[in-house]
Amino acid sequence: MMRPYSLALAAWLAAVPGFALANGESMDDVAAAVRQAAIAVVPPGASLSLGPLTGARAMQGCAAPLAVTLSGTAPYEQAAVHCAAPGWTLYISVTIAQSESIVVAARPLAAGQPLTAADLRLAALPVAQFAGRQVYFDPAQLIGATTDMSLAAGMPLTADTVQAPIMVKAGQTVAVNVRSGGVQLTLDATAQQTGRIGDTILLTNPGTGRRFTAQVTAAGVELVLQ
């Protein structure tokens, strides 16, 4: 029985010019097994790319179905391809490129510029490009906002590059959407503070005089009760 190869040994052997076992494992079969295993972890619309597969040529052809386990954190994973007979494990790097449609600048924008619909568009960008930053998924959320800095066409608009539009002004009567479990109701309240999307503001129930806080969202003012 063939002893298991380490990743380093397999890579070294595969790099030797002309080296390959006479009945070496098929790179196509290894790639197919990894892609099949990755289906469970790849988000819809994401693309998958594999690292070098030449190490398969240094492995004896597997007489049993290849088994694959994935480890790591997206977008970078590692696939361990296991062969029970004759017995070896080959490691392949896996990169998952997930994209989402977010709001970007439709044309160059100057600092302090009020935004209109013509300044904004949706574009599918790799999630890794804006991971950890607050982005926007609907251009309507930013109409009336102002830019904090100059932005080139195609750049994503994030919470740290724009001042979101004022959605609620102090003294304004607003409809507050209250949700508790599966129950939802709407009540009118008076805003005590000015608020932009994402802000939590203080409001007063004019009927009871009771004050409470709620969050300003693109869909309106919302209060979620636990």
Side-chain angles (χ1 to χ4, degrees):
M1 177 177 292
M2 190 179 196
R3 294 184 179 277
Y5 279 114
S6 69
L7 172 62
L9 178 58
W12 182 84
L13 288 173
V16 175
F19 180 87
L21 293 179
N23 59 340
E25 182 59 47
S26 163
M27 290 190 291
D28 290 341
D29 288 350
V30 170
V34 173
R35 291 184 182 278
Q36 180 62 35
I39 289 176
V41 299
V42 175
S47 62
L48 184 74
S49 59
L50 308 183
L53 298 165
T54 51
R57 297 185 302 169
M59 303 299 187
Q60 187 173 336
C62 194
L66 295 172
V68 179
T69 55
L70 294 169
S71 61
T73 303
Y76 306 109
E77 303 264 355
Q78 178 175 264
V81 184
H82 308 283
C83 173
W88 50 256
T89 298
L90 177 66
Y91 295 90
I92 306 294
S93 62
V94 180
T95 303
I96 300 171
Q98 183 182 2
S99 296
E100 282 193 78
S101 290
I102 63 170
V103 181
V104 302
R107 54 192 177 188
L109 303 175
Q113 177 178 334
L115 298 175
T116 67
D119 298 318
L120 309 167
R121 66 180 177 88
L122 289 173
L125 297 180
V127 171
Q129 186 173 327
F130 56 84
R133 304 169 70 189
Q134 181 184 326
V135 295
Y136 300 90
F137 301 96
D138 183 356
Q141 292 178 274
L142 290 173
I143 294 176
T146 55
T147 55
D148 285 336
M149 61 183 67
S150 297
L151 298 171
M155 288 191 64
L157 280 80
T158 62
D160 56 348
T161 61
V162 298
Q163 284 286 336
I166 293 175
M167 302 295 289
V168 176
K169 294 183 178 180
Q172 178 182 349
T173 299
V174 297
V176 181
N177 300 313
V178 183
R179 288 187 289 113
S180 179
V183 179
Q184 182 171 331
L185 58 88
T186 301
L187 63 86
D188 290 335
T190 303
Q192 301 300 311
Q193 297 172 305
T194 295
R196 302 174 186 271
I197 293 177
D199 290 343
T200 297
I201 61 172
L202 183 66
L203 302 106
T204 300
N205 184 331
T208 63
R210 181 180 177 183
R211 292 191 170 190
F212 62 95
T213 57
Q215 186 174 36
V216 181
T217 73
V221 181
E222 296 189 349
L223 172 61
V224 179
L225 301 176
Q226 302 298 329

